[in-house]
Every structure is written in C-alpha cells, then in structure tokens.
Amino acid sequence: MFRTIKEQIETIFREDPAARSVLEILLCYPGFHAILLHRLAHKLWCWRIPLIPRLISQFSRWLTGIEIHPGARIGRRFFIDHGMGVVIGETAEIGDDVLIYQGVTLGGTGKEKGKRHPTIGNHVVIGAGAKVLGNIRIGNYVKIGAGSVVIRSVPDYSTVVGVPGRVVRIAGVTVNDELEHGKLPDPEGQAIEELTRRVEQLEAQVRALLEARAAEHRS
C-alpha cells in the first residue's frame, strides 16, 4: 500500500505542474483519494466480499465526485486530473500510465450482460468530457479529444476527435505525452473551409462568365 501511495504521488507530480507538495496532494487531490479508495474496494470485490466494496465506492463518489465501480480493473500510475464527474463502469479495464480529465465516462451502451465497458490501453490520454462507450478497445498511445464520443475501437498511436469520434491521425511513432486541447485536428472546420474555398471559386467563375457575356452584348 505504501508503495502504491508513493507511486501515485510521483505520478501526480509528473503529470500536474500545479502540484506543489506531498501534503497538498494528500489533502487536495480528489483523483488521488478516488484511486486509493478504488484500490481497496477492488481488492475486496475480488475477494467476493458483499456490499462493502460498493459502500466504499459510494463513499468515494460522495467525497470526490468521481464514481468508479469496484469491479473496474485499473493499471498502475493512473491519474485523474480534477476529476469531477468521472464515471468508470464495472467491466472497464484501464492499462498503465493513463491520464483522464474531468467529466470522462467509460460507460456501457445498454443492459447487456458480461463485458460491456471499454478496455483502455497503455499511455492513453482522454480529454475533458469525452465519452467512451461499449465493449470496445482503445489502443496504446491514443489521444481522445475533449468532448468526443467514441463508440468504435481505436488502433494504437491514434488521435480521435468529434461526435461520433473519428480517427484523424495515425502515426507510427509515439505521440507527445500532453494532450494539447487547443491544437486538436478539426475535421468539421477543415471541411467548412474547403467548401467555402470551393464556393468562392465557383462565384469567381460565374462572375467571369457574366462579364464575358456582357462584353459580347456590348460589342
């Protein structure tokens, strides 16, 4: 347990430049509290102890605003930044070195039984408000943009944005560790710009034809 706490504190210092001291992390980081409480609840869940894991989960939700089902499997060095509104379902699986922001949901899509929540790979970043839904796999080194809704599996080394989420970049090398919210690709904006450019070209062609016809009439 002490090793887990130490590793979690080191992870927060690495991922959050606002972290100033160990005492500040121990007292003021809801993501830190939620993860430690989940580790305890998950251990009891695996031991098939009834009710108590769910009570711990509900206490954690009341304390932190973060809801993690005790059945969810979470890897090492997991960091929830800010955290309010995060929901992680029962059969969700999260790899190592994953970073998620506030408002993220790793949820199901219905009342199906069995595996119904996402599997998240290693070194994944999920932006604020993103929803990852269903029994899908998010590959390693994936970035999911803020506000995206992902309902299909995503290959390794991808960037996903939009509603529904679309893969807009696949690279053969590791992407940067930080999710640059202000520099995410904008496929809708790019499409609108292309349409605008095409309309301007057509308008110019129409004006040229009208001017040519007017010149013919004058002659």
Side-chain angles (χ1 to χ4, degrees):
M1 177 59 73
F2 289 109
R3 182 184 65 82
T4 300
I5 293 173
K6 181 176 181 293
E7 184 175 71
Q8 198 64 45
I9 290 172
E10 291 172 348
T11 299
I12 292 172
F13 275 126
R14 185 179 69 248
E15 299 289 354
D16 187 0
R20 296 289 186 268
S21 68
V22 171
L23 183 61
E24 181 182 37
I25 291 172
L26 293 174
L27 296 178
C28 304
Y29 275 70
F32 174 76
H33 305 144
I35 293 167
L36 292 186
L37 287 169
H38 171 73
R39 302 289 188 200
L40 174 60
H42 181 68
K43 181 68 70 175
L44 299 177
W45 179 270
C46 292
W47 289 346
R48 299 186 182 278
I49 295 176
L51 188 57
I52 294 177
R54 293 302 303 271
L55 291 175
I56 294 173
S57 175
Q58 290 303 301
F59 171 72
S60 177
R61 178 186 180 186
W62 172 81
L63 178 68
T64 67
I66 298 167
E67 181 176 348
I68 308 176
H69 193 284
R73 298 171 58 186
I74 297 178
R76 297 174 61 183
R77 297 176 296 277
F78 176 57
F79 179 42
I80 303 173
D81 198 358
H82 298 291
M84 179 62 68
V86 167
V87 177
I88 300 175
E90 177 185 6
T91 62
E93 299 178 38
I94 300 174
D96 298 332
D97 301 292
V98 172
L99 167 63
I100 68 176
Y101 289 84
Q102 69 272 14
V104 166
T105 298
L106 305 182
T109 56
K111 297 181 180 180
E112 67 273 17
K113 301 293 184 181
K115 183 73 167 75
R116 59 191 185 278
H117 297 98
T119 297
I120 310 297
N122 302 321
H123 301 280
V124 173
V125 179
I126 306 179
K131 315 301 177 187
V132 185
L133 307 175
N135 181 17
I136 60 176
R137 183 184 184 279
I138 306 301
N140 301 320
Y141 296 96
V142 167
K143 289 182 178 181
I144 297 176
S148 300
V149 178
V150 184
I151 56 176
R152 295 183 178 86
S153 294
V154 177
D156 297 346
Y157 299 100
S158 300
T159 299
V160 181
V161 298
V163 182
R166 292 174 298 281
V167 175
V168 295
R169 184 183 303 137
I170 300 178
V173 296
T174 303
V175 296
N176 294 330
D177 292 335
E178 299 82 18
L179 179 62
E180 299 179 83
H181 294 272
K183 297 182 180 179
L184 287 171
D186 182 7
E188 289 88 356
Q190 292 170 359
I192 291 171
E193 288 179 3
E194 177 62 23
L195 288 172
T196 301
R197 185 183 64 82
R198 183 58 179 160
V199 168
E200 290 174 350
Q201 290 177 344
L202 292 172
E203 288 177 342
Q205 292 175 0
V206 170
R207 283 196 300 270
L209 289 173
L210 291 175
E211 288 173 358
R213 181 171 296 180
E216 290 178 0
H217 286 307
R218 285 195 298 270
S219 62

